[in-house]
Amino acid sequence: MRQGQIAWWQSGVVYQIYPRSFRDSNGDGTGDLVGVREKIEYLSETLGVDAMWLSPFYPSPMADFGYDVADYTGVDPLFGTLADIDALIAAAHERGIAVIIDFVPNHSSDQHPWFRASRSSRADPKRDWYVWRDPKQDGSPPNNWLANFGGSAWQWDDATGQYYLHSFLPEQPDLNWRNPELKAAMFDTLRFWLDRGVDGFRIDVAHAIMKDPDLRDNPPNPDAGHGLHKSLGAYDAQLHIHDKGHPDVHGVYREVRALLDAYSAERPRVAIGEIHIFDWAEWARYYGAALDEMHLPFNFGLLGVHWSAQTVRRVVDGLEAALPAGAWPNYVLGNHDEPRIASRIGRDNAPLAMMLLLTLRGTPTIYYGDELGMRDVPIPPEREQDPWGKRVPGLGLGRDPERTPMQWDTSSHAGFCAPDVEPWLPVSDDAARVNVAVELADPGSMLALTRRLLALRRATPALAHGGYRPIDEAPADCFVYLRESDGQRVLIALNFAADERVLALPSLGHGAVVVSTRPERGGRISLDNFSLQGGEGCVIVLED
Ligand code: NOJ
């Protein structure tokens, strides 16, 4: 593909901000939208990313830290005001940064006026906006569906004598997308934000909004393994074939896409789906049969992958093979629901992982703080916040460790909030070393590497949108691939082993190392005999 035909969401890099944890501007220990705006130059100048994805900032009782939305067209006072989001969008656009916001269609808060109305009486006009059912004869829930966050997915409501469905917390009742009025109301909320200038949506548990219309029981999971990259406890005892992912979901996303396309004349608006499906063929359906659904169904293939050259390559090649013609790939190494990459594979391996993320073919999403090598922070039990960890103890499912305050500098609380304020989660005890200010001054830091990679990606068409070709002749511990565009050839050589490996790839000739995980490395090299230190990665521009 030539430049010009490439949209911003293809060549660009997305940076995920968890607003609670990025920067507290008003001294309440919780990050906010003004705080994000204060750091806009970090995003545009220091890093040079192309888009920010903001996790939810809507009014919410915060039972699931904003993924329980009580008003789809507002801003929670904790995060600011509508004027603050307008100002943030304007500031971002001035600097060429797109703003992607979270859209949470599967469930609202139980405090949303829609649900209050729905639960007020069986005759209420909004009753059918949620999923209500009679109990079985013995009084038990209508079927065996389980909530992601533990227990039955059904909550009994005494007042009206029925159960309602909640795929997550009881405070997050599932919306009924089969009801045309609910669907129309949700589309209005999308229009509200598109009219305010947002550039797209990250759609929360996108595949979950359509369930089996007959609400059939899920069958048991025969291999007792888990469908995800991590064990979810009792939830894994079922095959979740009826409680999410019904094929009717695709009709909804075709309509979402048509709406986005209608807004895209001036600049493309994008749909990114959170889709936890690890069967590539099923996952690929979310692009749409005519590439008319998600622009990017999030690819979570690298989240739990065993950290070796062979297994990582298998994920990449599996994705490439599964992509429908013309569909655009994407990669993530972490987000607000997953252990941080530097904890999962070790800080020493994190630079290699960043090089991988920023050189593969497809749109990368960087989770805030991963550019510093931030790690999961152990949370003392009395400070635990996440409802998942509290409801399903013992499995390490709590997500607080990866949501701790961004580490800006060496001042108290790492510059996240004022010194006399207690941040909502503890700051990492490595913050004196691992922070933006210190790392900016150190050419060998993770931040310095990330900046070099981002700048290179931006300046190098082969990296931004070129083709991908793995090199089979590389040593088994090395993942080596070519990115090519319009005659420009860039080789990426990643040594996953702890000690030296030598590449002997004479057919590739000579090249120049333009970025290495070892900052002192550079200059012209021969691929005849090219040695990589343990854990080293290099980006090499090949000679013609
Ligand atoms: C996925 C979100 O990423 C997660 O944080 C949230 O708890 C669930 N969906 C429910 O909305």
Side-chain angles (χ1 to χ4, degrees), residues 16 18 53 64 67-68 102 104 106-107 149 168 172 202 204-205 274 276 335-337 386 388 399 403:
Q16 182 190 354
Y18 196 65
W53 150 32
D64 188 18
Y67 284 96
D68 47 325
D102 229 296
V104 189
N106 183 65
H107 43 266
F149 291 162
F168 291 86
Q172 293 169 296
R202 174 269 188 187
D204 190 61
V205 284
E274 188 208 15
H276 280 284
N335 59 40
H336 62 293
D337 296 327
D386 183 24
W388 198 357
R399 298 163 294 179
R403 296 175 176 181

Side-chain angles (χ1 to χ4, degrees), residues 396-442:
L397 293 173
R399 298 163 294 179
D400 298 329
E402 61 261 27
R403 296 175 176 181
T404 60
M406 174 70 174
Q407 295 162 203
W408 293 106
D409 55 39
T410 53
S411 67
S412 58
H413 308 313
F416 165 71
C417 60
D420 54 336
V421 173
E422 189 65 26
W424 81 286
L425 281 174
V427 172
S428 175
D429 62 11
D430 67 10
R433 276 179 301 115
V434 179
N435 66 63
V436 173
V438 165
E439 294 196 29
L440 270 180
D442 173 7

